[in-house]
Amino acid sequence: MIDWEQVATLQTAVGRNDFSTIMRVFFKEVEEAIAQLTTGVTTDQFRDILHFVKGSALSVGFVELSERCAQVERNFTGSHQITSIRKEIMTSYEKSKEHFLSNTETCSAPIEQIEPRFRHS
């Protein structure tokens, strides 16, 4: 679910305080990206959003979420799947986030204070 070696590497590279900020930004941006997975997006937009979530998740050690996004990205056949896929991705994200937060002391500041940056075109 979580690549703890990647988490430790990232935290060592940026320091504890910056790592906490990175994780808060990750949570905020991924939640907003997943919320954009609606039937109103084009196939390209849908794949762009999944690609963003996949890469972001992998960079912070959320390997299960990243792998799930990659699988969906490869197998996506049309908008009729969006609602169920969104639910699957959100469930994977929430499980990973819960597991991460229950095993770290990271992210004590409110996530709402972080300005999101992801916007699909």
Side-chain angles (χ1 to χ4, degrees), residues 65-114:
L65 175 61
S66 181
E67 290 169 357
R68 184 69 189 120
C69 287
Q71 181 182 41
V72 170
E73 194 177 8
R74 282 189 307 271
N75 299 324
F76 181 68
T77 60
S79 62
H80 64 282
Q81 298 176 294
I82 289 178
T83 302
S84 63
I85 289 171
R86 182 180 182 274
K87 185 176 179 180
E88 289 176 35
I89 297 298
M90 188 56 138
T91 299
S92 178
Y93 166 74
E94 288 173 346
K95 285 181 182 178
S96 296
K97 180 180 176 182
E98 181 180 328
H99 183 69
F100 175 83
L101 291 175
S102 68
N103 288 283
T104 65
E105 297 177 9
T106 302
C107 308
S108 57
I111 293 171
E112 293 76 29
Q113 294 177 359
I114 305 298

Side-chain angles (χ1 to χ4, degrees), residues 2-4 6-27 59-62 100-101 104-107:
I2 304 292
D3 178 351
W4 293 109
Q6 173 63 20
V7 170
T9 299
L10 181 58
Q11 187 171 13
T12 299
V14 299
R16 188 170 178 80
N17 289 338
D18 287 340
F19 178 73
S20 183
T21 299
I22 287 168
M23 292 309 299
R24 288 193 318 267
V25 169
F26 167 75
F27 294 144
S59 70
V60 298
F62 279 51
F100 175 83
L101 291 175
T104 65
E105 297 177 9
T106 302
C107 308

Side-chain angles (χ1 to χ4, degrees), residues 18 21-34 36 48-49 52-53 56 111-121:
D18 287 340
T21 299
I22 287 168
M23 292 309 299
R24 288 193 318 267
V25 169
F26 167 75
F27 294 144
K28 180 82 171 167
E29 291 187 353
V30 166
E31 288 168 15
E32 290 188 356
I34 293 171
Q36 292 179 38
D48 287 347
I49 293 167
F52 167 79
V53 174
S56 298
I111 293 171
E112 293 76 29
Q113 294 177 359
I114 305 298
E115 183 63 32
R117 294 185 184 146
F118 175 77
R119 297 284 185 258
H120 71 78
S121 51

Side-chain angles (χ1 to χ4, degrees), residues 38-53:
T38 64
T39 53
V41 298
T42 67
T43 299
D44 287 342
Q45 290 170 328
F46 185 82
R47 285 195 172 109
D48 287 347
I49 293 167
L50 283 176
H51 190 78
F52 167 79
V53 174

